[in-house]
Amino acid sequence: MKHEMKEQNPHKRKPRMGSTAWRGFVAAALLAANFLAATSVSRAAPLEQADPTNQALALLDTLTPEERVGQLFLVTFRGATAGQESQIYDLIANYHIGGVVLRRDMDNFVEAPNTVAKAIELIADLQGAESASAETRRPDATSGESYTPTYIPLFIAMAQEGDGYPTDQILSGLSPLPSAMALGAAWDPDLARQAGELLGTELSALGINMLLGPSLDVLESPRPRSAGDLAARSFGGDPFWVGQMGQAFIQGVHAGSQDQVAVVAKHLPGHGGSDRPVDEEVPTVRKSLSQLTQIELPPFFAVTGDAPTPEATADAMLLAHIRYQGFQGNIRATTRPISFDSQAFGQLMALPQFAAWRANGGVIVSDSLGTRAIRRNYDPAEQVFNSPLVARDAFLAGNDILYLGNFIANNDPDAYTSIQRTVAFFAQKYREDQAFSERVDQAVTRILALKFKIAPDFSLNEVAPDAGAAEDVGQNESLIFEIGRQAATLLSPSREELANLLPDPPGQFEQIVFFTDVTSMQQCSQCSAGSSIRQDALADAVLDLYGPNAGNQITAANLISFSFTELVRTLDGVWPDGEDPVSANLPRAEWVIFALGKDDGSPDSAGLRRLLSERPDLIQDKKVIVFAMNAPYFLDATDITRITAYYGLYSQQQGISEVAARLLYQEINAPGYSPVSVEGIGYELIQATSPDETQAIPVSVQRLLPAATATPESTAEAGTPEPTPVPTYQAGDLLSLQAGPVMDHNGHTVPDSTPVTFGISIAMEGTTLTRQIGATTRMGMALASYSIEEEGTLEIVATSGEPAASSAALRFEVIGINPEGLALQATQTAQAQALSTAAAQPLVTPTAEPVEAPPQEPLRVGLVDWFLITLVSVAAGAFAYQVGTNLRRMRWAVRWGLTTFIGGLLVGSYLALDLPGSHEILSFGGEWGVVLTVLAGAGLGWLAGWLWRGSTKAKQKGG
């Protein structure tokens, strides 16, 4: 039997609701029901699917405390097997851990060419261990009571950021993908979607159902050679474009995996501002929450609350270990690492975009809790690390899933022991602490709902990989080339200057020397050493494309390749036996080509910079081409002036080497633009993405309200084509103004929220009325509305940027008056005046130029006013008649009623005929002015009746 819960499931408690709240709830439910009913009429009802949250709540009620807390943990383990004698098998079967993270540095993968096939076997064994554990009754590892575990599929998580080593975990066997920065440099979200789709397809084939990525960090200010620099791991430095690429990539992963891979966007709130490796030390960033919402957080908003579709929405976010100084506005206050600070985390999640996402089941995953940074955060001497308490602190801070990477307490022999103790500690605390148990149930509900989302039936067949999947992956070699071709960027010089410097590609008998920044890598600790990019990768690409078997434009004898290590040997003069092939070959070379990797401060990575500063004589009078195979900002302005051409390729995969070869031979151009600032060439991203002042912004106008008078109908015979009539406008017409697309200096639409100003002027006799209406762009388009205020010549111009890009002026003649529009305009003006004047910028701002106030159209009596006049006159007449009846003067009662009624009608007619004084009465009193004026007229009529009676009596006496 399952253990009985000591406390009632908090998800099943009925909240107390007041009558108002209950009526609101019922109304919302009815609206939802009506909506569903309406949609079912218009299209066939889809097959009903269970709601993941409801499934999660139902399953939660059947789980023991141990099974519940086990779901909170993602663990790492060492080795590439998961047999029954392994530690990871025990953690799965007896401690019910929720998932595992596969890592290259934990030796979870084997050497090529069996990397993918063995990974599939490992994943099948891991999921099989969970399934097998649910088939037999067993004593609980903590309480000792007998029970049958519930089968819950594991999360099999992995980071695979693209570009191979060091950001990928599987280094061979999968289709090559470029770095995130290469996608950013292409400025095409569709390419990001295709890359995500390819990755999602191949990960799901392997059985990996959780992707730790993509990175949504904004590289606002690159820090060359800083240990914390993100380099090519970021989509770029503009928050809007990072968000666009992230949306598209996530959408692609979901589509490629058929929603079987959960996407964990990282590293919330953003690593871009950190100045050191977050694995080594917790960085401190001096930014407030308000500042974070400007730069770091918008990409995360774009894949949570602001995501356009569920497919573009991240399933989870990975919370980084970063502390903030001035997070709450006080620059003297510093948070704990935000992954351990419940107050700061609560403020972060209270932001509207995150609050909506969390309400829909969004999951928060902690970054690895076993890093040196966390150990040093708890004890700078790294002597004390209490693993259960560290996990508890991270959990209570707000993390739903705890990533226990290399999670070893000081007194434990290994991570396996520390994880056992941590799970047991959580289970005990669950039983003893109601508040803790409620927090666990909330987190586990989110986790189970996510698992039901990617595996609705909770069956082994849904999550176990196909043994033959290894043959289906790694076959797409074309996408990497297409992305690389679109991303390729000519950083220096300009295209025109390059055409003069390099009018022709290398000749058949010219010698080319290649230098490649080679980084050693291994798939596992016992695997053979390889390299991130082969030393002869560029030479081989040139030979394949232009060698004897492909046009015979170059021969192998004229190509020679060296590594940066060999270049440094030459600079240091430490070649063995005194032989220096670099110095021997460089004098004979006409072309010197460099494949530059990440300059991380290591001696080899600095080889090119040292050559340019210490031995420029070795490359004097040669054509020097540098291909940045990582971020493009590692050379300074002086370095760049010493080379002939500088290209950004942003990635080191073999397909990118082919792009470099084609650029060298001038077969393709470089259409890309850097997605980050490059100080060495004076390229500022904020300026590049601002409106190009040389463009003519398209602008259009459309009337929103119908004109008061219809356009005269054509008198031509039926069937005779007529020219499109010129639009006519009247004072009072409400216009929709549209400007765009507004383009930036790189030829792409400007980021969302770029300001656009509509300048409006109306030329009248002797004066000009001017207005400015502010708007912001969305997908390059800016919209605003304007109600025409007066007759005259209307001119509209749209401007954006500094210096300003402008549109051609639109001019229209405004003839006639639209009373309905003017009435609406008056109402809107009154409402605007009632608002607080403390707004940062009003929607319509008059210029400083003094202008005459536009004359107001006189108000007139309408149908409603006539009805009111008649009603008041009748009522007044009836009152006068009743007074006469009470005085027993029946004849005069009738006469007084008539004179009173006629008096009211006469005054009403005076107002209707717009005679002098009418406009002032209507403007001052409105409807009440009409009533009071008509009553005064009725009173005069009654007075006339009394005077009539008096004169009649006088005549009778005189007769």
Side-chain angles (χ1 to χ4, degrees), residues 293-307:
T293 61
Q294 301 299 313
I295 302 294
E296 282 83 358
L297 291 178
F300 294 97
F301 293 160
V303 301
T304 53
D306 289 344

Side-chain angles (χ1 to χ4, degrees), residues 671-688:
Y673 293 90
S674 174
V676 292
S677 297
V678 183
E679 184 178 356
I681 62 172
Y683 177 85
E684 293 291 336
L685 186 64
I686 187 67
Q687 174 63 27

Side-chain angles (χ1 to χ4, degrees), residues 437-454:
S437 68
E438 290 179 352
R439 170 74 182 97
V440 168
D441 286 349
Q442 293 169 2
V444 173
T445 300
R446 294 178 184 276
I447 295 167
L448 293 176
L450 180 53
K451 289 189 174 184
F452 274 117
K453 179 181 176 182
I454 62 178

Side-chain angles (χ1 to χ4, degrees), residues 86-88 90-91 95 407 414-421:
S86 66
Q87 294 176 343
I88 188 60
D90 182 56
L91 291 176
Y95 291 88
F407 195 64
D414 51 28
Y416 166 68
T417 304
S418 295
I419 294 170
Q420 284 180 318
R421 292 202 304 113

Side-chain angles (χ1 to χ4, degrees), residues 115-162:
T115 307
V116 171
K118 289 298 183 181
I120 291 174
E121 290 182 16
L122 173 62
I123 293 168
D125 289 345
L126 291 168
Q127 295 288 14
E130 171 64 22
S131 177
S133 69
E135 296 176 356
T136 57
R137 196 171 184 83
R138 65 183 63 223
D140 185 270
T142 302
S143 67
E145 297 183 26
S146 180
Y147 76 111
T148 302
T150 301
Y151 171 67
I152 303 174
L154 297 172
F155 281 134
I156 308 294
M158 188 177 75
Q160 192 79 0
E161 298 184 26

Side-chain angles (χ1 to χ4, degrees), residues 353-705:
Q353 294 87 344
F354 293 155
W357 175 77
R358 287 285 277 173
N360 288 326
V363 175
I364 297 294
V365 182
S366 78
D367 207 342
S368 176
L369 298 180
T371 63
R372 188 183 181 205
I374 297 303
R375 295 176 181 277
R376 295 171 71 179
N377 180 70
Y378 273 84
D379 178 14
E382 301 182 55
Q383 298 300 310
V384 177
F385 186 77
N386 190 324
S387 54
L389 297 185
V390 171
R392 179 205 62 185
D393 291 349
F395 179 67
L396 294 180
N399 296 282
D400 300 309
I401 296 178
L402 304 177
Y403 176 9
L404 307 185
N406 197 30
F407 195 64
I408 308 175
N410 292 88
N411 298 323
D412 290 338
D414 51 28
Y416 166 68
T417 304
S418 295
I419 294 170
Q420 284 180 318
R421 292 202 304 113
T422 301
V423 175
F425 171 78
F426 269 60
Q428 179 180 354
K429 191 168 181 61
Y430 183 97
R431 296 177 184 278
E432 297 172 352
D433 188 335
Q434 180 179 353
F436 186 82
S437 68
E438 290 179 352
R439 170 74 182 97
V440 168
D441 286 349
Q442 293 169 2
V444 173
T445 300
R446 294 178 184 276
I447 295 167
L448 293 176
L450 180 53
K451 289 189 174 184
F452 274 117
K453 179 181 176 182
I454 62 178
D457 296 332
F458 266 27
S459 68
L460 182 60
N461 290 336
E462 284 183 305
V463 295
D466 185 351
E471 300 177 359
D472 300 327
V473 301
Q475 304 302 312
N476 190 327
E477 301 282 346
S478 59
L479 183 59
I480 181 70
F481 173 78
E482 180 59 24
I483 294 173
R485 185 181 69 83
Q486 295 289 346
T489 305
L490 177 60
L491 299 166
S492 177
S494 67
R495 288 182 173 84
E496 294 75 14
E497 292 172 323
L498 183 64
N500 294 326
L501 293 171
L502 298 177
D504 299 304
Q508 183 177 8
F509 302 106
E510 291 185 308
Q511 187 171 20
I512 308 175
V513 174
F514 296 92
F515 290 95
T516 302
D517 189 2
V518 176
T519 302
S520 178
M521 66 174 191
Q522 290 177 282
Q523 180 65 77
C524 63
S525 61
Q526 302 302 315
C527 296
S528 302
S531 57
S532 57
I533 179 173
R534 292 184 293 106
Q535 177 175 315
D536 54 359
L538 265 65
D540 285 351
V542 167
L543 202 60
D544 289 343
L545 292 169
Y546 307 104
N549 297 325
N552 199 29
Q553 294 177 255
I554 196 71
T555 61
N558 289 329
L559 304 177
I560 187 167
S561 300
F562 297 103
S563 68
F564 272 39
T565 301
E566 293 169 314
L567 174 61
V568 170
R569 288 179 185 171
T570 295
L571 297 174
D572 292 339
V574 294
W575 277 95
D577 302 326
E579 297 181 2
D580 185 352
V582 173
S583 297
N585 282 276
L586 273 179
R588 297 194 297 268
E590 285 82 12
W591 298 76
V592 184
I593 314 300
F594 294 89
L596 179 65
K598 180 181 180 180
D599 193 341
D600 56 8
S602 65
D604 287 354
S605 67
L608 174 59
R609 290 188 294 109
R610 288 187 59 193
L611 173 68
L612 294 174
S613 62
E614 299 174 16
R615 294 294 307 275
D617 58 291
L618 292 176
I619 55 174
Q620 189 174 1
D621 299 326
K622 302 183 188 305
K623 302 176 181 71
V624 181
I625 314 296
V626 177
F627 294 107
M629 313 299 279
N630 199 278
Y633 46 70
F634 294 115
L635 297 182
D636 61 27
T638 303
D639 295 333
I640 294 172
T641 60
R642 293 170 177 168
I643 61 181
T644 310
Y646 184 30
Y647 289 93
L649 297 184
Y650 314 99
S651 199
Q652 57 189 357
Q653 301 279 30
Q654 181 60 35
I656 305 299
S657 298
E658 181 181 337
V659 173
R662 293 182 185 274
L663 287 169
L664 177 63
Y665 274 80
Q666 302 178 13
E667 183 179 337
I668 61 175
N669 295 318
Y673 293 90
S674 174
V676 292
S677 297
V678 183
E679 184 178 356
I681 62 172
Y683 177 85
E684 293 291 336
L685 186 64
I686 187 67
Q687 174 63 27
T689 55
S690 66
D692 183 359
E693 63 273 13
T694 64
Q695 70 184 300
I697 301 175
V699 63
S700 62
V701 174
Q702 183 179 1
R703 182 189 291 113
L704 292 179
L705 291 179

